[in-house]
Amino acid sequence: MKSKSLHAFKVKLATSQLMVYIILAAVLLIAQIASPGYLQFNHVAGILRLSSFLGIAAIGQTFAILTGGIDLSIANVITFANVIGAQVMSGNDASIPMALLLVVCMGLVVGIVNGFGVKFLKIPPFIMTLGVGTIIQGIFLIYTKGAPKGNAAPALRQMCGQSLFGVVSGIVIVWLVLAAAAIVLLRKTPYGRKIYAVGISEQAASFSGINTGAITFSVYILSAAFAALAGFFLVGYTGTSFLDVGTSYNTSSIAAVVIGGTAITGGKGGYVGTLAGAVIMTVLNDFLTIVNIPEAGRQIAQGVIILALVLAYSRTKKNSQ
């Protein structure tokens, strides 16, 4: 009886995405042992602040991967949003609404183009989003002439770069609100159930009456919009724009989603796990920097750790079936 209960518990643990939180706790414990004081309150608050930008970008990536697709334009959308936001704001609080509007509109346009190519032109998501991302890169290089201008408005800098009342940054609160909305959307609404249905079997979902094309189209719009928001908020953190600010976000967002338990083939997972995945990715990068691992070494170490974590999760999931 006990063995059956234990097996049932293990199955529930794997399928409810709790595994990634155990991994997160282990990573934090190792970091604390290797670097005493790592888990001090101020440092943890800083980790959450950094995680929020990746976490916001990974919302859309989660949606795309759940349908069995992927978005490789995220990195360049983030950079372009960063450039537009900084230049429009130019240090003026009154320009924040206009900057945000333009950034979101840019993201929506990119998402529409991605969705159109995947839905109507039947171009594989990997190729379509990679191609669109490359085009965006060329556009912002022409737009900036290699030298982006502008800087963040003081209010945005305060929200994204400082802690409110010495506790948590405003950007973390924004992230948690968006995360809650994403979780509710996926778990509690017909739209969310349709996303899972498309990821499990697009053909079966179509036979059941779901407009699979519309679902696919919509997730790429959402993905680009969330990436644009991440790029906009990054201006507040960095203070100005950089042409390489989004470079790592394609890999990091995909890793956060997969480490978080979402199947790369779609249909299984969700944003609950991606939350922890985003923090894990941030902790790995931060810790390797603290222990003075060179950039090349950090990339190798991150790759090995990511593969190990994904393998560990996959084996646990397989053994529970």
Side-chain angles (χ1 to χ4, degrees):
M1 192 67 159
K2 283 186 177 181
S3 62
K4 289 183 179 180
S5 299
L6 181 60
H7 178 69
F9 173 75
K10 288 181 178 180
V11 172
K12 184 177 180 180
L13 183 66
T15 57
S16 65
Q17 297 180 308
L18 289 177
M19 184 64 186
V20 66
Y21 285 90
I22 294 175
I23 293 173
L24 173 58
V27 170
L28 290 173
L29 180 61
I30 292 171
Q32 172 64 23
I33 293 173
S35 179
Y38 189 87
L39 294 181
Q40 287 183 353
F41 182 81
N42 288 340
H43 191 251
V44 172
I47 290 293
L48 290 176
R49 184 186 304 127
L50 284 172
S51 300
S52 62
F53 306 108
L54 174 57
I56 292 171
I59 293 175
Q61 190 72 271
T62 301
F63 282 30
I65 291 178
L66 278 173
T67 62
I70 199 166
D71 190 350
L72 297 181
S73 66
I74 282 179
N76 287 320
V77 169
I78 287 175
T79 300
F80 199 13
N82 190 261
V83 167
I84 293 172
Q87 186 156 338
V88 174
M89 279 186 286
S90 294
N92 185 1
D93 284 344
S95 298
I96 292 178
M98 179 57 69
L100 179 59
L101 176 62
L102 290 175
V103 162
V104 171
C105 287
M106 180 275 294
L108 293 176
V109 170
V110 172
I112 289 171
V113 173
N114 279 334
F116 182 86
V118 174
K119 176 187 175 182
F120 293 107
L121 302 181
K122 306 301 181 183
I123 300 174
F126 181 93
I127 297 174
M128 184 64 199
T129 58
L130 180 62
V132 170
T134 303
I135 292 171
I136 295 170
Q137 184 180 33
I139 291 173
F140 69 65
L141 286 174
I142 294 172
Y143 177 70
T144 62
K145 298 180 181 179
K149 300 177 182 178
N151 56 307
L156 189 64
R157 293 201 66 169
Q158 184 174 9
M159 186 187 83
C160 299
Q162 301 177 21
S163 297
L164 299 177
F165 309 110
V167 180
V168 65
S169 296
I171 185 59
V172 176
I173 296 174
V174 171
W175 176 32
L176 293 178
V177 170
L178 293 175
I183 292 169
V184 170
L185 186 65
L186 286 172
R187 290 190 166 192
K188 303 294 184 180
T189 69
Y191 176 73
R193 290 190 286 273
K194 290 175 182 178
I195 287 177
Y196 282 100
V198 171
I200 293 171
S201 173
E202 185 174 357
Q203 185 177 27
S206 180
F207 287 154
S208 68
I210 295 174
N211 187 340
T212 57
I215 296 299
T216 300
F217 194 98
S218 67
V219 297
Y220 288 101
I221 294 176
L222 287 172
S223 182
F226 279 115
L229 283 177
F232 175 78
F233 289 127
L234 272 168
V235 182
Y237 181 74
T238 61
T240 187
S241 60
F242 300 94
L243 293 181
D244 62 349
V245 70
T247 301
S248 66
Y249 278 83
N250 276 345
T251 303
S252 296
S253 64
I254 294 169
V257 174
V258 175
I259 289 174
T262 296
I264 196 69
T265 53
K268 297 179 181 179
Y271 194 72
V272 172
T274 302
L275 270 169
V279 178
I280 289 173
M281 289 300 299
T282 304
V283 170
L284 290 178
N285 186 64
D286 178 70
F287 177 71
L288 293 174
T289 301
I290 287 177
V291 296
N292 295 318
I293 301 296
E295 176 63 24
R298 290 203 300 270
Q299 291 183 8
I300 293 172
Q302 282 187 40
V304 170
I305 294 171
I306 290 168
L307 288 174
L309 291 176
V310 173
L311 180 61
Y313 178 85
S314 299
R315 289 179 66 87
T316 301
K317 184 177 180 180
K318 182 177 180 180
N319 291 337
S320 68
Q321 293 177 341

